[in-house]
Amino acid sequence: MDARFVETLTPFLPFLHGETITEDTPLRTYGLDSMQAIELMFALEDSLGVSLPDEALVEETFATAGSLWRATQAAQGTDAVTATAESV
């Protein structure tokens, strides 16, 4: 997980209380609810320059910091492929 991801995620976890975010950090336990998950998705898209696909917008994606990080990484790969195809 990179620093921008963690910086974007942290404000959405009100019960984190200064604990370190790891791949296993359970997002719901630390206060992420369904409405905040949507806001977090938009924040991640803005800060990381990705677009999460509709099929990634499931509970499993937002279960842990690691699962969300993997979804954003997959979206970055998809966005790079799409941008390359559009420029050809």
Side-chain angles (χ1 to χ4, degrees), residues 31-79:
L32 185 72
D33 63 29
S34 58
M35 293 302 289
Q36 288 176 319
I38 300 298
E39 291 178 35
L40 173 57
M41 178 194 68
F42 290 131
L44 288 169
E45 288 179 345
D46 288 343
S47 69
L48 301 176
V50 300
S51 294
L52 291 172
D54 290 344
E55 51 277 356
L57 305 180
V58 295
E59 188 172 334
E60 292 80 19
T61 299
F62 293 89
T64 66
S67 60
L68 184 55
W69 171 247
R70 286 186 291 279
T72 60
Q73 289 297 288
Q76 282 180 330
T78 302
D79 289 348

